[in-house]
PDB file of all heavy atoms in Angstrom:
ATOM      1  N   PRO G 169      -9.634  41.943  42.793  1.00  0.00           N
ATOM      2  CA  PRO G 169     -10.111  40.894  43.708  1.00  0.00           C
ATOM      3  C   PRO G 169      -9.605  41.049  45.129  1.00  0.00           C
ATOM      4  O   PRO G 169     -10.301  40.668  46.078  1.00  0.00           O
ATOM      5  CB  PRO G 169      -9.602  39.594  43.067  1.00  0.00           C
ATOM      6  CG  PRO G 169      -8.528  40.000  42.144  1.00  0.00           C
ATOM      7  CD  PRO G 169      -8.861  41.367  41.671  1.00  0.00           C
ATOM      8  N   GLU G 172     -11.860  43.468  46.720  1.00  0.00           N
ATOM      9  CA  GLU G 172     -13.154  42.828  46.974  1.00  0.00           C
ATOM     10  C   GLU G 172     -13.092  41.938  48.218  1.00  0.00           C
ATOM     11  O   GLU G 172     -14.025  41.927  49.037  1.00  0.00           O
ATOM     12  CB  GLU G 172     -13.567  42.006  45.748  1.00  0.00           C
ATOM     13  CG  GLU G 172     -14.970  41.434  45.836  1.00  0.00           C
ATOM     14  CD  GLU G 172     -15.400  40.700  44.577  1.00  0.00           C
ATOM     15  OE1 GLU G 172     -14.657  40.774  43.560  1.00  0.00           O
ATOM     16  OE2 GLU G 172     -16.461  40.058  44.592  1.00  0.00           O
ATOM     17  N   ASP G 274      -7.320  29.651  43.277  1.00  0.00           N
ATOM     18  CA  ASP G 274      -8.378  28.640  43.371  1.00  0.00           C
ATOM     19  C   ASP G 274      -7.912  27.252  42.944  1.00  0.00           C
ATOM     20  O   ASP G 274      -8.384  26.678  41.963  1.00  0.00           O
ATOM     21  CB  ASP G 274      -9.596  29.070  42.544  1.00  0.00           C
ATOM     22  CG  ASP G 274     -10.883  28.419  43.047  1.00  0.00           C
ATOM     23  OD1 ASP G 274     -10.886  27.932  44.192  1.00  0.00           O
ATOM     24  OD2 ASP G 274     -11.865  28.417  42.293  1.00  0.00           O
ATOM     25  N   SER G 287     -11.338  31.798  47.653  1.00  0.00           N
ATOM     26  CA  SER G 287     -10.173  32.002  46.797  1.00  0.00           C
ATOM     27  C   SER G 287     -10.570  32.748  45.536  1.00  0.00           C
ATOM     28  O   SER G 287     -11.759  32.885  45.220  1.00  0.00           O
ATOM     29  CB  SER G 287      -9.526  30.660  46.433  1.00  0.00           C
ATOM     30  OG  SER G 287      -8.291  30.856  45.770  1.00  0.00           O
ATOM     31  N   VAL G 288      -9.560  33.233  44.821  1.00  0.00           N
ATOM     32  CA  VAL G 288      -9.771  33.960  43.575  1.00  0.00           C
ATOM     33  C   VAL G 288      -9.462  33.028  42.412  1.00  0.00           C
ATOM     34  O   VAL G 288      -8.323  32.567  42.260  1.00  0.00           O
ATOM     35  CB  VAL G 288      -8.872  35.207  43.490  1.00  0.00           C
ATOM     36  CG1 VAL G 288      -9.090  35.942  42.169  1.00  0.00           C
ATOM     37  CG2 VAL G 288      -9.129  36.131  44.673  1.00  0.00           C
ATOM     38  N   SER G 289     -10.468  32.735  41.619  1.00  0.00           N
ATOM     39  CA  SER G 289     -10.255  31.929  40.425  1.00  0.00           C
ATOM     40  C   SER G 289      -9.633  32.806  39.352  1.00  0.00           C
ATOM     41  O   SER G 289     -10.241  33.786  38.910  1.00  0.00           O
ATOM     42  CB  SER G 289     -11.588  31.356  39.929  1.00  0.00           C
ATOM     43  OG  SER G 289     -11.405  30.660  38.709  1.00  0.00           O
ATOM     44  N   SER G 290      -8.400  32.486  38.946  1.00  0.00           N
ATOM     45  CA  SER G 290      -7.677  33.330  37.993  1.00  0.00           C
ATOM     46  C   SER G 290      -7.627  32.726  36.593  1.00  0.00           C
ATOM     47  O   SER G 290      -7.016  33.311  35.696  1.00  0.00           O
ATOM     48  CB  SER G 290      -6.255  33.579  38.503  1.00  0.00           C
ATOM     49  OG  SER G 290      -5.579  32.350  38.716  1.00  0.00           O
ATOM     50  N   ASP G 318     -10.348  39.083  31.413  1.00  0.00           N
ATOM     51  CA  ASP G 318     -11.143  39.365  32.615  1.00  0.00           C
ATOM     52  C   ASP G 318     -11.528  38.041  33.262  1.00  0.00           C
ATOM     53  O   ASP G 318     -12.607  37.496  33.027  1.00  0.00           O
ATOM     54  CB  ASP G 318     -12.388  40.163  32.231  1.00  0.00           C
ATOM     55  CG  ASP G 318     -13.199  40.600  33.440  1.00  0.00           C
ATOM     56  OD1 ASP G 318     -12.665  40.515  34.556  1.00  0.00           O
ATOM     57  OD2 ASP G 318     -14.361  41.003  33.262  1.00  0.00           O
ATOM     58  N   CYS G 319     -10.615  37.504  34.086  1.00  0.00           N
ATOM     59  CA  CYS G 319     -10.816  36.138  34.592  1.00  0.00           C
ATOM     60  C   CYS G 319     -10.722  36.016  36.106  1.00  0.00           C
ATOM     61  O   CYS G 319     -11.002  34.949  36.651  1.00  0.00           O
ATOM     62  CB  CYS G 319      -9.807  35.194  33.940  1.00  0.00           C
ATOM     63  SG  CYS G 319      -8.087  35.652  34.238  1.00  0.00           S
ATOM     64  N   ASN G 320     -10.322  37.068  36.814  1.00  0.00           N
ATOM     65  CA  ASN G 320     -10.159  36.961  38.266  1.00  0.00           C
ATOM     66  C   ASN G 320     -11.505  37.121  38.976  1.00  0.00           C
ATOM     67  O   ASN G 320     -12.050  38.224  39.041  1.00  0.00           O
ATOM     68  CB  ASN G 320      -9.175  38.020  38.770  1.00  0.00           C
ATOM     69  CG  ASN G 320      -7.735  37.662  38.458  1.00  0.00           C
ATOM     70  OD1 ASN G 320      -7.416  36.490  38.258  1.00  0.00           O
ATOM     71  ND2 ASN G 320      -6.867  38.650  38.412  1.00  0.00           N
ATOM     72  N   VAL G 321     -12.023  36.027  39.483  1.00  0.00           N
ATOM     73  CA  VAL G 321     -13.341  36.001  40.123  1.00  0.00           C
ATOM     74  C   VAL G 321     -13.196  35.451  41.533  1.00  0.00           C
ATOM     75  O   VAL G 321     -12.642  34.364  41.738  1.00  0.00           O
ATOM     76  CB  VAL G 321     -14.339  35.132  39.325  1.00  0.00           C
ATOM     77  CG1 VAL G 321     -15.678  35.088  40.035  1.00  0.00           C
ATOM     78  CG2 VAL G 321     -14.485  35.650  37.902  1.00  0.00           C
ATOM     79  N   VAL G 322     -13.700  36.186  42.521  1.00  0.00           N
ATOM     80  CA  VAL G 322     -13.631  35.731  43.911  1.00  0.00           C
ATOM     81  C   VAL G 322     -14.754  34.722  44.169  1.00  0.00           C
ATOM     82  O   VAL G 322     -15.917  34.999  43.885  1.00  0.00           O
ATOM     83  CB  VAL G 322     -13.753  36.901  44.903  1.00  0.00           C
ATOM     84  CG1 VAL G 322     -13.635  36.385  46.338  1.00  0.00           C
ATOM     85  CG2 VAL G 322     -12.689  37.952  44.622  1.00  0.00           C
ATOM     86  N   HIS G 323     -14.371  33.578  44.712  1.00  0.00           N
ATOM     87  CA  HIS G 323     -15.350  32.575  45.139  1.00  0.00           C
ATOM     88  C   HIS G 323     -15.369  32.571  46.673  1.00  0.00           C
ATOM     89  O   HIS G 323     -14.442  32.072  47.316  1.00  0.00           O
ATOM     90  CB  HIS G 323     -14.994  31.188  44.603  1.00  0.00           C
ATOM     91  CG  HIS G 323     -15.101  31.073  43.115  1.00  0.00           C
ATOM     92  ND1 HIS G 323     -16.308  31.089  42.457  1.00  0.00           N
ATOM     93  CD2 HIS G 323     -14.152  30.968  42.158  1.00  0.00           C
ATOM     94  CE1 HIS G 323     -16.105  30.976  41.160  1.00  0.00           C
ATOM     95  NE2 HIS G 323     -14.799  30.905  40.949  1.00  0.00           N
TER      96      HIS G 323
END
Side-chain angles (χ1 to χ4, degrees):
E172 187 176 351
D274 204 18
S287 189
V288 179
S289 175
S290 57
D318 185 14
C319 59
N320 284 337
V321 178
V322 182
H323 293 290

